[in-house]
Amino acid sequence: MGPPGAGKSTVGALVAKRLGVPFVDTDALVAERGGAPVGDLMIDLGEDGFRTLEREVVVDALGSTGVLALGSGAVEEAVPLLERYVDAGGTVVLLDVSMSAGVPRVGLNAPRSVALGSARAQFAAMAAARRPVYERVARTVVDTSTLTVADVAERVLAAIG
């Protein structure tokens, strides 16, 4: 889990491949179940409708085996399930990223009109609001800001043991 741009999907897929286990990405499942890209679903369904769909997907995904990449906002709904998973011996890894590294990865580096608001400020506010939730359930933190995908995957594999 982690903020947008931390590498959850890319690293998760690589870790799953190295372990020889299935990989599940909740954002991909939300898009599949909703029949549209996640960004479109957020607009079409509104925040509440999107979170309801996401919650259903997360509950299903947490019941699967393998490596799970949890959408950056999905963790807020999943805290009790993640805490039970950790209590049962599971490993939850927070892939963290600095704003300066994460913003370009998610395409927010282009100049924006002041009238539209600052995408960077929204990114920072969202990350700050979710940080306590991430830290509550994570047992390992890997800062991906300056690491390669392979280096991050190695650190996650080391955390898994």
Side-chain angles (χ1 to χ4, degrees):
M1 66 180 180
K8 300 176 298 290
S9 298
T10 305
V11 171
L14 181 56
V15 168
K17 182 178 179 182
R18 290 198 182 163
L19 292 173
V21 298
F23 173 66
V24 177
D25 184 327
T26 60
D27 282 345
L29 291 177
V30 167
E32 181 181 307
R33 196 172 291 181
V38 170
D40 292 351
L41 289 171
M42 180 66 85
I43 293 167
D44 294 345
L45 301 175
E47 177 84 20
D48 291 341
F50 178 82
R51 294 298 173 202
T52 297
L53 174 61
E54 183 180 53
R55 187 177 316 111
E56 293 167 2
V57 166
V58 168
V59 167
D60 291 347
L62 286 170
S64 64
T65 60
V67 175
L68 172 65
L70 196 59
S72 60
V75 70
E76 294 172 305
E77 298 291 334
V79 168
L81 295 169
L82 290 170
E83 288 176 332
R84 283 196 295 272
Y85 173 75
V86 168
D87 289 345
T91 302
V92 176
V93 178
L94 167 58
L95 297 185
D96 207 357
V97 66
S98 68
M99 190 169 140
S100 62
V103 164
R105 293 178 188 174
V106 295
L108 298 178
N109 224 17
R112 301 282 191 248
S113 164
V114 174
L116 295 176
S118 169
R120 292 179 191 143
Q122 291 172 352
F123 181 94
M126 178 183 61
R130 292 177 180 161
R131 178 152 309 283
V133 179
Y134 294 149
E135 291 175 349
R136 180 173 165 188
V137 295
R139 295 303 174 256
T140 299
V141 179
V142 178
D143 186 339
T144 69
S145 301
T146 61
L147 299 174
T148 67
V149 171
D151 289 340
V152 175
E154 287 304 319
R155 291 184 185 193
V156 171
L157 288 165
I160 292 169

